[in-house]
Amino acid sequence: MMVNVAQRVATERVQPIMDRHPINQPLSKQAMLEIYAVLAELGITAPRLPIEAGGGGLRMLDYGMMIEQLPPVVALSLISHEGTIARIHHGCSPDIRDRYLPDLIAGRKIACTANTEAGAGSDSGAVRTKLRMDGENAFITGSKMWITNASVCDVVNVSCTIGTDANGRSMVRRVLVDRSEVEFEVRETPVMGLQQGHLSELVFDETRVPASHIIGEVGDAAKTLTLAWNGNRPLLGLMCVHLAQKAFDLALAHAKEHRQFGKPIGAHQLVQQDLADIETHIVTARLLCYSALDAIDRGARANGTSAMAKRYATQACERAIHLAMQVHGGMGISQEMGLEQMWRDARMFQVPDGMNGILALIQGRELTGIGAFR
Ligand SMILES: Cc1cc2nc3c(=O)[nH]c(=O)nc-3n(C[C@H](O)[C@H](O)[C@H](O)COP(=O)(O)OP(=O)(O)OC[C@H]3O[C@@H](n4cnc5c(N)ncnc54)[C@H](O)[C@@H]3O)c2cc1C
């Protein structure tokens, strides 16, 4: 029932908002707020929070099956938003929670998390953005890049360093920055896919925030990010599954209708093999992602399983869309069919929350007990 509702809401209420805007430009803040109001009604703006805290209290598997139904641009924005809500809920004082969570859960405000920097991507703990404490205030200086939602957000959870420990590693702290209170620079970054979404660079220059906006404890940023990533990775895999399934549906219909050599191309054996391969890629990707989410629901840390699911799903779905384009011949590369956009969108997911090389290393570390990162 939840999947059916999510599918109907996505088709009848979310997609029409997106269709009113250019397909290759970031959606306006107004459009995003309209979409968030719908997501709030669906009960998935805070799926990982308990019901008593105003959240959805959903199992990760149920949430993942709903995420799979949403347009990927919206789904990616949502996991940035709701992941930040979860961090505020778990790491902030009751005052801060009461001040921000109701509007964020109702979709009246949008949140995001900024960790990545030029030298702190895969090496997420190496952040250099500085946090300087001064009594009741804290000051942020540094820059972030590739931040989902940043240009349309109201609050951003920024990872900063307060110095290095005895081993030379950054001591990372997270700070909630409220855009209605302080100015900082935000520049949208044009990219190949998910072009109605928002990816930006942020620049902080002695940006003043109240010390009460610091989230959690010293050193817990990496741990919190890891826990979020384990859940997010299969969700990102399912966003690719959504795209590959759409491509497959088009390819199957095309194979039955389009004719060459006097019969439908679907009656030629090699085209049937392409269709069989596409379906196999999609079904295996979907099941691996479901299995990782189910493992998390059963209390497993699921480090290796989540990494395996995202790496496999992003690659298999990219291949599936490529094959669906092949089945379409010339039409496969036309903008009219939308397959080239699905392929560009799917390619985007090989980067966030662990590049595929890094995900292989995570799985390898789980298998061998030996880290091969440094
Ligand atoms: C759509 C999208 C949304 C995003 N959203 C956010 C967001 O909301 N918040 C945020 O903070 N960030 C976000 N990011 C940033 C993303 O998390 C980083 O881009 C990603 O972690 C990779 O970092 P990088 O770009 O610096 O690449 P690098 O880490 O420099 O990687 C470059 C290459 O080197 C390889 N590599 C690196 N280290 C090793 C190693 N030890 N061994 C072997 N190979 C290695 C990688 O696998 C990769 O192939 C987003 C990115 C995208 C594309």
Side-chain angles (χ1 to χ4, degrees), residues 76 80 112-118 120-123 145-148 194 199 348-349 351-358 361 372-374:
L76 181 65
S80 161
C112 68
T113 287
N115 192 71
T116 306
E117 301 175 6
S122 300
D123 190 6
M145 58 203 299
W146 309 119
I147 308 307
T148 303
L194 301 171
L199 271 185
M348 295 286 288
F349 289 106
V351 181
D353 288 14
M355 304 236 14
N356 284 347
I358 296 299
L361 293 182
F373 292 89
R374 292 175 199 286

PDB file of all heavy atoms in Angstrom, residues 76 80 112-118 120-123 145-148 194 199 348-349 351-358 361 372-374, ligand 1:
ATOM      1  N   LEU A  76      16.961  12.422  -4.069  1.00  0.00           N
ATOM      2  CA  LEU A  76      18.300  12.813  -3.596  1.00  0.00           C
ATOM      3  C   LEU A  76      18.202  14.017  -2.665  1.00  0.00           C
ATOM      4  O   LEU A  76      18.853  14.060  -1.612  1.00  0.00           O
ATOM      5  CB  LEU A  76      19.206  13.137  -4.797  1.00  0.00           C
ATOM      6  CG  LEU A  76      20.643  13.526  -4.444  1.00  0.00           C
ATOM      7  CD1 LEU A  76      21.395  12.363  -3.803  1.00  0.00           C
ATOM      8  CD2 LEU A  76      21.400  14.033  -5.658  1.00  0.00           C
ATOM      9  N   SER A  80      19.100  14.210   1.651  1.00  0.00           N
ATOM     10  CA  SER A  80      19.956  15.239   2.254  1.00  0.00           C
ATOM     11  C   SER A  80      19.183  15.950   3.380  1.00  0.00           C
ATOM     12  O   SER A  80      19.693  16.151   4.486  1.00  0.00           O
ATOM     13  CB  SER A  80      20.370  16.232   1.159  1.00  0.00           C
ATOM     14  OG  SER A  80      20.812  17.435   1.716  1.00  0.00           O
ATOM     15  N   CYS A 112      20.212  20.780   4.666  1.00  0.00           N
ATOM     16  CA  CYS A 112      21.231  19.989   3.967  1.00  0.00           C
ATOM     17  C   CYS A 112      22.464  19.822   4.847  1.00  0.00           C
ATOM     18  O   CYS A 112      22.564  20.451   5.904  1.00  0.00           O
ATOM     19  CB  CYS A 112      21.608  20.635   2.638  1.00  0.00           C
ATOM     20  SG  CYS A 112      22.491  22.183   2.766  1.00  0.00           S
ATOM     21  N   THR A 113      23.370  18.947   4.408  1.00  0.00           N
ATOM     22  CA  THR A 113      24.606  18.691   5.149  1.00  0.00           C
ATOM     23  C   THR A 113      25.800  18.934   4.236  1.00  0.00           C
ATOM     24  O   THR A 113      25.846  18.416   3.118  1.00  0.00           O
ATOM     25  CB  THR A 113      24.611  17.236   5.673  1.00  0.00           C
ATOM     26  OG1 THR A 113      23.676  17.152   6.753  1.00  0.00           O
ATOM     27  CG2 THR A 113      25.989  16.831   6.192  1.00  0.00           C
ATOM     28  N   ALA A 114      26.756  19.741   4.721  1.00  0.00           N
ATOM     29  CA  ALA A 114      27.930  20.088   3.917  1.00  0.00           C
ATOM     30  C   ALA A 114      29.182  19.515   4.553  1.00  0.00           C
ATOM     31  O   ALA A 114      29.628  20.003   5.594  1.00  0.00           O
ATOM     32  CB  ALA A 114      28.046  21.607   3.803  1.00  0.00           C
ATOM     33  N   ASN A 115      29.728  18.483   3.924  1.00  0.00           N
ATOM     34  CA  ASN A 115      30.970  17.898   4.417  1.00  0.00           C
ATOM     35  C   ASN A 115      32.104  18.055   3.402  1.00  0.00           C
ATOM     36  O   ASN A 115      33.196  18.481   3.735  1.00  0.00           O
ATOM     37  CB  ASN A 115      30.759  16.414   4.735  1.00  0.00           C
ATOM     38  CG  ASN A 115      31.911  15.841   5.511  1.00  0.00           C
ATOM     39  OD1 ASN A 115      32.086  16.161   6.681  1.00  0.00           O
ATOM     40  ND2 ASN A 115      32.745  15.030   4.863  1.00  0.00           N
ATOM     41  N   THR A 116      31.800  17.745   2.124  1.00  0.00           N
ATOM     42  CA  THR A 116      32.858  17.658   1.106  1.00  0.00           C
ATOM     43  C   THR A 116      33.577  18.992   0.868  1.00  0.00           C
ATOM     44  O   THR A 116      32.957  20.046   0.808  1.00  0.00           O
ATOM     45  CB  THR A 116      32.256  17.167  -0.229  1.00  0.00           C
ATOM     46  OG1 THR A 116      31.557  15.953   0.011  1.00  0.00           O
ATOM     47  CG2 THR A 116      33.310  16.958  -1.284  1.00  0.00           C
ATOM     48  N   GLU A 117      34.910  18.871   0.725  1.00  0.00           N
ATOM     49  CA  GLU A 117      35.753  20.020   0.351  1.00  0.00           C
ATOM     50  C   GLU A 117      36.707  19.545  -0.732  1.00  0.00           C
ATOM     51  O   GLU A 117      36.779  18.336  -0.999  1.00  0.00           O
ATOM     52  CB  GLU A 117      36.582  20.484   1.557  1.00  0.00           C
ATOM     53  CG  GLU A 117      35.740  20.900   2.730  1.00  0.00           C
ATOM     54  CD  GLU A 117      36.579  21.251   3.964  1.00  0.00           C
ATOM     55  OE1 GLU A 117      37.827  21.286   3.858  1.00  0.00           O
ATOM     56  OE2 GLU A 117      35.973  21.479   5.010  1.00  0.00           O
ATOM     57  N   ALA A 118      37.495  20.461  -1.283  1.00  0.00           N
ATOM     58  CA  ALA A 118      38.409  20.078  -2.368  1.00  0.00           C
ATOM     59  C   ALA A 118      39.288  18.886  -1.966  1.00  0.00           C
ATOM     60  O   ALA A 118      39.464  17.951  -2.727  1.00  0.00           O
ATOM     61  CB  ALA A 118      39.253  21.264  -2.769  1.00  0.00           C
ATOM     62  N   ALA A 120      38.755  16.957   0.810  1.00  0.00           N
ATOM     63  CA  ALA A 120      38.031  16.084   1.749  1.00  0.00           C
ATOM     64  C   ALA A 120      36.763  15.573   1.066  1.00  0.00           C
ATOM     65  O   ALA A 120      35.666  16.034   1.330  1.00  0.00           O
ATOM     66  CB  ALA A 120      37.686  16.841   3.033  1.00  0.00           C
ATOM     67  N   GLY A 121      36.980  14.646   0.120  1.00  0.00           N
ATOM     68  CA  GLY A 121      35.852  14.008  -0.559  1.00  0.00           C
ATOM     69  C   GLY A 121      35.769  12.586  -0.047  1.00  0.00           C
ATOM     70  O   GLY A 121      35.143  12.306   0.981  1.00  0.00           O
ATOM     71  N   SER A 122      36.479  11.677  -0.712  1.00  0.00           N
ATOM     72  CA  SER A 122      36.536  10.296  -0.222  1.00  0.00           C
ATOM     73  C   SER A 122      37.135  10.254   1.184  1.00  0.00           C
ATOM     74  O   SER A 122      36.708   9.487   2.039  1.00  0.00           O
ATOM     75  CB  SER A 122      37.382   9.433  -1.169  1.00  0.00           C
ATOM     76  OG  SER A 122      36.813   9.428  -2.456  1.00  0.00           O
ATOM     77  N   ASP A 123      38.138  11.105   1.417  1.00  0.00           N
ATOM     78  CA  ASP A 123      38.753  11.194   2.752  1.00  0.00           C
ATOM     79  C   ASP A 123      37.930  12.199   3.569  1.00  0.00           C
ATOM     80  O   ASP A 123      38.366  13.318   3.848  1.00  0.00           O
ATOM     81  CB  ASP A 123      40.207  11.664   2.594  1.00  0.00           C
ATOM     82  CG  ASP A 123      40.980  11.558   3.902  1.00  0.00           C
ATOM     83  OD1 ASP A 123      40.429  11.019   4.886  1.00  0.00           O
ATOM     84  OD2 ASP A 123      42.138  12.015   3.928  1.00  0.00           O
ATOM     85  N   MET A 145      32.075  21.980  -1.255  1.00  0.00           N
ATOM     86  CA  MET A 145      31.625  21.832  -2.639  1.00  0.00           C
ATOM     87  C   MET A 145      30.736  20.612  -2.812  1.00  0.00           C
ATOM     88  O   MET A 145      30.744  19.723  -1.962  1.00  0.00           O
ATOM     89  CB  MET A 145      32.819  21.786  -3.598  1.00  0.00           C
ATOM     90  CG  MET A 145      33.804  20.682  -3.334  1.00  0.00           C
ATOM     91  SD  MET A 145      35.444  21.056  -4.005  1.00  0.00           S
ATOM     92  CE  MET A 145      35.065  21.210  -5.741  1.00  0.00           C
ATOM     93  N   TRP A 146      29.966  20.603  -3.908  1.00  0.00           N
ATOM     94  CA  TRP A 146      29.061  19.501  -4.259  1.00  0.00           C
ATOM     95  C   TRP A 146      27.987  19.290  -3.190  1.00  0.00           C
ATOM     96  O   TRP A 146      27.684  18.151  -2.837  1.00  0.00           O
ATOM     97  CB  TRP A 146      29.815  18.177  -4.454  1.00  0.00           C
ATOM     98  CG  TRP A 146      30.980  18.237  -5.362  1.00  0.00           C
ATOM     99  CD1 TRP A 146      32.277  17.970  -5.051  1.00  0.00           C
ATOM    100  CD2 TRP A 146      30.963  18.568  -6.760  1.00  0.00           C
ATOM    101  NE1 TRP A 146      33.077  18.128  -6.148  1.00  0.00           N
ATOM    102  CE2 TRP A 146      32.288  18.498  -7.218  1.00  0.00           C
ATOM    103  CE3 TRP A 146      29.955  18.941  -7.650  1.00  0.00           C
ATOM    104  CZ2 TRP A 146      32.637  18.771  -8.535  1.00  0.00           C
ATOM    105  CZ3 TRP A 146      30.312  19.213  -8.966  1.00  0.00           C
ATOM    106  CH2 TRP A 146      31.632  19.117  -9.380  1.00  0.00           C
ATOM    107  N   ILE A 147      27.430  20.371  -2.660  1.00  0.00           N
ATOM    108  CA  ILE A 147      26.467  20.209  -1.567  1.00  0.00           C
ATOM    109  C   ILE A 147      25.022  20.227  -2.091  1.00  0.00           C
ATOM    110  O   ILE A 147      24.539  21.241  -2.602  1.00  0.00           O
ATOM    111  CB  ILE A 147      26.662  21.301  -0.478  1.00  0.00           C
ATOM    112  CG1 ILE A 147      28.139  21.344  -0.037  1.00  0.00           C
ATOM    113  CG2 ILE A 147      25.737  21.045   0.713  1.00  0.00           C
ATOM    114  CD1 ILE A 147      28.734  20.012   0.411  1.00  0.00           C
ATOM    115  N   THR A 148      24.348  19.079  -1.942  1.00  0.00           N
ATOM    116  CA  THR A 148      22.955  18.946  -2.369  1.00  0.00           C
ATOM    117  C   THR A 148      22.077  19.900  -1.562  1.00  0.00           C
ATOM    118  O   THR A 148      22.246  20.006  -0.339  1.00  0.00           O
ATOM    119  CB  THR A 148      22.483  17.491  -2.127  1.00  0.00           C
ATOM    120  OG1 THR A 148      23.356  16.616  -2.825  1.00  0.00           O
ATOM    121  CG2 THR A 148      21.057  17.271  -2.615  1.00  0.00           C
ATOM    122  N   LEU A 194      20.751  15.098 -13.361  1.00  0.00           N
ATOM    123  CA  LEU A 194      19.909  15.562 -12.248  1.00  0.00           C
ATOM    124  C   LEU A 194      19.847  17.086 -12.258  1.00  0.00           C
ATOM    125  O   LEU A 194      20.039  17.746 -11.226  1.00  0.00           O
ATOM    126  CB  LEU A 194      20.476  15.059 -10.910  1.00  0.00           C
ATOM    127  CG  LEU A 194      20.596  13.540 -10.755  1.00  0.00           C
ATOM    128  CD1 LEU A 194      21.364  13.176  -9.498  1.00  0.00           C
ATOM    129  CD2 LEU A 194      19.229  12.857 -10.765  1.00  0.00           C
ATOM    130  N   LEU A 199      23.273  21.496  -6.682  1.00  0.00           N
ATOM    131  CA  LEU A 199      24.599  21.126  -6.163  1.00  0.00           C
ATOM    132  C   LEU A 199      25.407  22.410  -6.113  1.00  0.00           C
ATOM    133  O   LEU A 199      25.570  23.073  -7.135  1.00  0.00           O
ATOM    134  CB  LEU A 199      25.295  20.169  -7.135  1.00  0.00           C
ATOM    135  CG  LEU A 199      25.080  18.674  -6.986  1.00  0.00           C
ATOM    136  CD1 LEU A 199      25.972  17.934  -7.977  1.00  0.00           C
ATOM    137  CD2 LEU A 199      25.361  18.185  -5.581  1.00  0.00           C
ATOM    138  N   MET A 348      25.340  10.164 -12.340  1.00  0.00           N
ATOM    139  CA  MET A 348      25.606  11.053 -11.201  1.00  0.00           C
ATOM    140  C   MET A 348      25.742  10.267  -9.889  1.00  0.00           C
ATOM    141  O   MET A 348      26.498  10.645  -9.006  1.00  0.00           O
ATOM    142  CB  MET A 348      24.456  12.050 -11.031  1.00  0.00           C
ATOM    143  CG  MET A 348      24.284  13.030 -12.162  1.00  0.00           C
ATOM    144  SD  MET A 348      25.526  14.305 -12.181  1.00  0.00           S
ATOM    145  CE  MET A 348      25.026  15.296 -10.785  1.00  0.00           C
ATOM    146  N   PHE A 349      24.975   9.180  -9.758  1.00  0.00           N
ATOM    147  CA  PHE A 349      24.921   8.469  -8.474  1.00  0.00           C
ATOM    148  C   PHE A 349      26.190   7.676  -8.163  1.00  0.00           C
ATOM    149  O   PHE A 349      26.320   7.127  -7.075  1.00  0.00           O
ATOM    150  CB  PHE A 349      23.686   7.557  -8.438  1.00  0.00           C
ATOM    151  CG  PHE A 349      22.405   8.342  -8.318  1.00  0.00           C
ATOM    152  CD1 PHE A 349      21.548   8.489  -9.393  1.00  0.00           C
ATOM    153  CD2 PHE A 349      22.079   8.965  -7.121  1.00  0.00           C
ATOM    154  CE1 PHE A 349      20.385   9.230  -9.287  1.00  0.00           C
ATOM    155  CE2 PHE A 349      20.914   9.716  -7.002  1.00  0.00           C
ATOM    156  CZ  PHE A 349      20.061   9.846  -8.085  1.00  0.00           C
ATOM    157  N   VAL A 351      28.930   8.972  -7.704  1.00  0.00           N
ATOM    158  CA  VAL A 351      29.835   9.844  -6.940  1.00  0.00           C
ATOM    159  C   VAL A 351      29.452  10.019  -5.458  1.00  0.00           C
ATOM    160  O   VAL A 351      30.277   9.777  -4.579  1.00  0.00           O
ATOM    161  CB  VAL A 351      29.968  11.225  -7.644  1.00  0.00           C
ATOM    162  CG1 VAL A 351      30.919  12.124  -6.869  1.00  0.00           C
ATOM    163  CG2 VAL A 351      30.447  11.055  -9.082  1.00  0.00           C
ATOM    164  N   PRO A 352      28.220  10.429  -5.136  1.00  0.00           N
ATOM    165  CA  PRO A 352      27.964  10.780  -3.722  1.00  0.00           C
ATOM    166  C   PRO A 352      27.951   9.582  -2.783  1.00  0.00           C
ATOM    167  O   PRO A 352      27.652   8.464  -3.211  1.00  0.00           O
ATOM    168  CB  PRO A 352      26.565  11.432  -3.762  1.00  0.00           C
ATOM    169  CG  PRO A 352      25.913  10.916  -4.990  1.00  0.00           C
ATOM    170  CD  PRO A 352      27.011  10.613  -5.973  1.00  0.00           C
ATOM    171  N   ASP A 353      28.271   9.857  -1.528  1.00  0.00           N
ATOM    172  CA  ASP A 353      28.252   8.848  -0.452  1.00  0.00           C
ATOM    173  C   ASP A 353      29.107   7.631  -0.778  1.00  0.00           C
ATOM    174  O   ASP A 353      28.744   6.498  -0.464  1.00  0.00           O
ATOM    175  CB  ASP A 353      26.796   8.433  -0.136  1.00  0.00           C
ATOM    176  CG  ASP A 353      26.048   9.542   0.598  1.00  0.00           C
ATOM    177  OD1 ASP A 353      26.561  10.680   0.606  1.00  0.00           O
ATOM    178  OD2 ASP A 353      24.984   9.286   1.164  1.00  0.00           O
ATOM    179  N   GLY A 354      30.239   7.879  -1.385  1.00  0.00           N
ATOM    180  CA  GLY A 354      31.194   6.802  -1.671  1.00  0.00           C
ATOM    181  C   GLY A 354      31.295   6.531  -3.147  1.00  0.00           C
ATOM    182  O   GLY A 354      30.356   6.012  -3.754  1.00  0.00           O
ATOM    183  N   MET A 355      32.463   6.884  -3.741  1.00  0.00           N
ATOM    184  CA  MET A 355      32.700   6.556  -5.142  1.00  0.00           C
ATOM    185  C   MET A 355      32.873   5.046  -5.227  1.00  0.00           C
ATOM    186  O   MET A 355      33.193   4.394  -4.242  1.00  0.00           O
ATOM    187  CB  MET A 355      33.978   7.249  -5.641  1.00  0.00           C
ATOM    188  CG  MET A 355      33.944   8.733  -5.444  1.00  0.00           C
ATOM    189  SD  MET A 355      34.198   9.787  -6.889  1.00  0.00           S
ATOM    190  CE  MET A 355      34.046   8.828  -8.314  1.00  0.00           C
ATOM    191  N   ASN A 356      32.694   4.498  -6.436  1.00  0.00           N
ATOM    192  CA  ASN A 356      32.690   3.041  -6.530  1.00  0.00           C
ATOM    193  C   ASN A 356      33.999   2.391  -6.095  1.00  0.00           C
ATOM    194  O   ASN A 356      34.003   1.308  -5.505  1.00  0.00           O
ATOM    195  CB  ASN A 356      32.269   2.610  -7.942  1.00  0.00           C
ATOM    196  CG  ASN A 356      30.763   2.769  -8.114  1.00  0.00           C
ATOM    197  OD1 ASN A 356      30.044   2.955  -7.129  1.00  0.00           O
ATOM    198  ND2 ASN A 356      30.281   2.712  -9.340  1.00  0.00           N
ATOM    199  N   GLY A 357      35.125   3.078  -6.343  1.00  0.00           N
ATOM    200  CA  GLY A 357      36.404   2.530  -5.893  1.00  0.00           C
ATOM    201  C   GLY A 357      36.441   2.436  -4.366  1.00  0.00           C
ATOM    202  O   GLY A 357      36.881   1.430  -3.785  1.00  0.00           O
ATOM    203  N   ILE A 358      35.956   3.493  -3.727  1.00  0.00           N
ATOM    204  CA  ILE A 358      35.953   3.533  -2.259  1.00  0.00           C
ATOM    205  C   ILE A 358      35.014   2.455  -1.710  1.00  0.00           C
ATOM    206  O   ILE A 358      35.311   1.792  -0.709  1.00  0.00           O
ATOM    207  CB  ILE A 358      35.511   4.940  -1.789  1.00  0.00           C
ATOM    208  CG1 ILE A 358      36.527   5.999  -2.247  1.00  0.00           C
ATOM    209  CG2 ILE A 358      35.307   4.987  -0.269  1.00  0.00           C
ATOM    210  CD1 ILE A 358      37.928   5.827  -1.698  1.00  0.00           C
ATOM    211  N   LEU A 361      36.672  -0.756  -1.621  1.00  0.00           N
ATOM    212  CA  LEU A 361      37.624  -0.837  -0.505  1.00  0.00           C
ATOM    213  C   LEU A 361      36.903  -1.088   0.825  1.00  0.00           C
ATOM    214  O   LEU A 361      37.423  -1.787   1.697  1.00  0.00           O
ATOM    215  CB  LEU A 361      38.436   0.461  -0.401  1.00  0.00           C
ATOM    216  CG  LEU A 361      39.399   0.765  -1.553  1.00  0.00           C
ATOM    217  CD1 LEU A 361      40.169   2.051  -1.280  1.00  0.00           C
ATOM    218  CD2 LEU A 361      40.367  -0.390  -1.751  1.00  0.00           C
ATOM    219  N   ALA A 372      42.576  -0.729   3.204  1.00  0.00           N
ATOM    220  CA  ALA A 372      43.533  -0.483   2.121  1.00  0.00           C
ATOM    221  C   ALA A 372      43.412   0.947   1.602  1.00  0.00           C
ATOM    222  O   ALA A 372      43.701   1.229   0.451  1.00  0.00           O
ATOM    223  CB  ALA A 372      43.287  -1.491   0.989  1.00  0.00           C
ATOM    224  N   PHE A 373      42.972   1.861   2.487  1.00  0.00           N
ATOM    225  CA  PHE A 373      42.723   3.234   2.042  1.00  0.00           C
ATOM    226  C   PHE A 373      43.993   4.077   1.986  1.00  0.00           C
ATOM    227  O   PHE A 373      44.134   4.921   1.122  1.00  0.00           O
ATOM    228  CB  PHE A 373      41.733   3.918   2.991  1.00  0.00           C
ATOM    229  CG  PHE A 373      40.348   3.339   2.909  1.00  0.00           C
ATOM    230  CD1 PHE A 373      39.984   2.274   3.719  1.00  0.00           C
ATOM    231  CD2 PHE A 373      39.435   3.837   2.006  1.00  0.00           C
ATOM    232  CE1 PHE A 373      38.721   1.730   3.635  1.00  0.00           C
ATOM    233  CE2 PHE A 373      38.167   3.310   1.911  1.00  0.00           C
ATOM    234  CZ  PHE A 373      37.805   2.251   2.740  1.00  0.00           C
ATOM    235  N   ARG A 374      44.869   3.884   2.995  1.00  0.00           N
ATOM    236  CA  ARG A 374      46.031   4.777   3.093  1.00  0.00           C
ATOM    237  C   ARG A 374      47.310   4.070   2.724  1.00  0.00           C
ATOM    238  O   ARG A 374      47.453   2.897   2.933  1.00  0.00           O
ATOM    239  CB  ARG A 374      46.141   5.302   4.539  1.00  0.00           C
ATOM    240  CG  ARG A 374      45.004   6.216   4.854  1.00  0.00           C
ATOM    241  CD  ARG A 374      44.992   6.677   6.305  1.00  0.00           C
ATOM    242  NE  ARG A 374      43.649   7.149   6.604  1.00  0.00           N
ATOM    243  CZ  ARG A 374      43.150   8.305   6.157  1.00  0.00           C
ATOM    244  NH1 ARG A 374      43.928   9.102   5.465  1.00  0.00           N
ATOM    245  NH2 ARG A 374      41.913   8.649   6.427  1.00  0.00           N
TER     246      ARG A 374
HETATM  247  C1  LIG B   1      25.016  14.263  -6.900  1.00  0.00           C
HETATM  248  C2  LIG B   1      25.978  14.526  -5.776  1.00  0.00           C
HETATM  249  C3  LIG B   1      25.496  14.903  -4.540  1.00  0.00           C
HETATM  250  C4  LIG B   1      26.368  15.188  -3.492  1.00  0.00           C
HETATM  251  N1  LIG B   1      25.875  15.638  -2.304  1.00  0.00           N
HETATM  252  C5  LIG B   1      26.716  15.975  -1.294  1.00  0.00           C
HETATM  253  C6  LIG B   1      26.210  16.534  -0.070  1.00  0.00           C
HETATM  254  O1  LIG B   1      25.000  16.761   0.072  1.00  0.00           O
HETATM  255  N2  LIG B   1      27.088  16.830   0.930  1.00  0.00           N
HETATM  256  C7  LIG B   1      28.431  16.611   0.792  1.00  0.00           C
HETATM  257  O2  LIG B   1      29.159  16.892   1.738  1.00  0.00           O
HETATM  258  N3  LIG B   1      28.960  16.109  -0.372  1.00  0.00           N
HETATM  259  C8  LIG B   1      28.126  15.780  -1.404  1.00  0.00           C
HETATM  260  N4  LIG B   1      28.626  15.298  -2.593  1.00  0.00           N
HETATM  261  C9  LIG B   1      30.069  15.140  -2.743  1.00  0.00           C
HETATM  262  C10 LIG B   1      30.516  13.689  -2.793  1.00  0.00           C
HETATM  263  O3  LIG B   1      30.277  13.032  -1.569  1.00  0.00           O
HETATM  264  C11 LIG B   1      32.007  13.662  -3.183  1.00  0.00           C
HETATM  265  O4  LIG B   1      32.122  14.227  -4.482  1.00  0.00           O
HETATM  266  C12 LIG B   1      32.558  12.251  -3.167  1.00  0.00           C
HETATM  267  O5  LIG B   1      32.728  11.822  -1.838  1.00  0.00           O
HETATM  268  C13 LIG B   1      33.892  12.131  -3.908  1.00  0.00           C
HETATM  269  O6  LIG B   1      34.785  13.088  -3.469  1.00  0.00           O
HETATM  270  P1  LIG B   1      35.684  13.890  -4.536  1.00  0.00           P
HETATM  271  O7  LIG B   1      34.754  14.489  -5.543  1.00  0.00           O
HETATM  272  O8  LIG B   1      36.563  14.810  -3.781  1.00  0.00           O
HETATM  273  O9  LIG B   1      36.524  12.786  -5.275  1.00  0.00           O
HETATM  274  P2  LIG B   1      37.886  12.123  -4.725  1.00  0.00           P
HETATM  275  O10 LIG B   1      37.726  11.665  -3.330  1.00  0.00           O
HETATM  276  O11 LIG B   1      39.011  13.059  -5.004  1.00  0.00           O
HETATM  277  O12 LIG B   1      37.996  10.855  -5.656  1.00  0.00           O
HETATM  278  C14 LIG B   1      38.585  10.908  -6.977  1.00  0.00           C
HETATM  279  C15 LIG B   1      38.945   9.477  -7.393  1.00  0.00           C
HETATM  280  O13 LIG B   1      39.978   8.963  -6.543  1.00  0.00           O
HETATM  281  C16 LIG B   1      39.586   7.711  -6.014  1.00  0.00           C
HETATM  282  N5  LIG B   1      40.172   7.544  -4.679  1.00  0.00           N
HETATM  283  C17 LIG B   1      40.200   8.439  -3.658  1.00  0.00           C
HETATM  284  N6  LIG B   1      40.818   7.917  -2.586  1.00  0.00           N
HETATM  285  C18 LIG B   1      41.169   6.664  -2.911  1.00  0.00           C
HETATM  286  C19 LIG B   1      41.831   5.587  -2.219  1.00  0.00           C
HETATM  287  N7  LIG B   1      42.210   5.707  -0.953  1.00  0.00           N
HETATM  288  N8  LIG B   1      42.031   4.441  -2.873  1.00  0.00           N
HETATM  289  C20 LIG B   1      41.604   4.299  -4.151  1.00  0.00           C
HETATM  290  N9  LIG B   1      40.975   5.241  -4.860  1.00  0.00           N
HETATM  291  C21 LIG B   1      40.776   6.411  -4.254  1.00  0.00           C
HETATM  292  C22 LIG B   1      38.066   7.742  -5.980  1.00  0.00           C
HETATM  293  O14 LIG B   1      37.483   6.443  -5.987  1.00  0.00           O
HETATM  294  C23 LIG B   1      37.779   8.507  -7.270  1.00  0.00           C
HETATM  295  O15 LIG B   1      37.770   7.621  -8.354  1.00  0.00           O
HETATM  296  C24 LIG B   1      27.771  15.049  -3.681  1.00  0.00           C
HETATM  297  C25 LIG B   1      28.257  14.666  -4.945  1.00  0.00           C
HETATM  298  C26 LIG B   1      27.378  14.427  -5.991  1.00  0.00           C
HETATM  299  C27 LIG B   1      27.908  14.059  -7.344  1.00  0.00           C
END
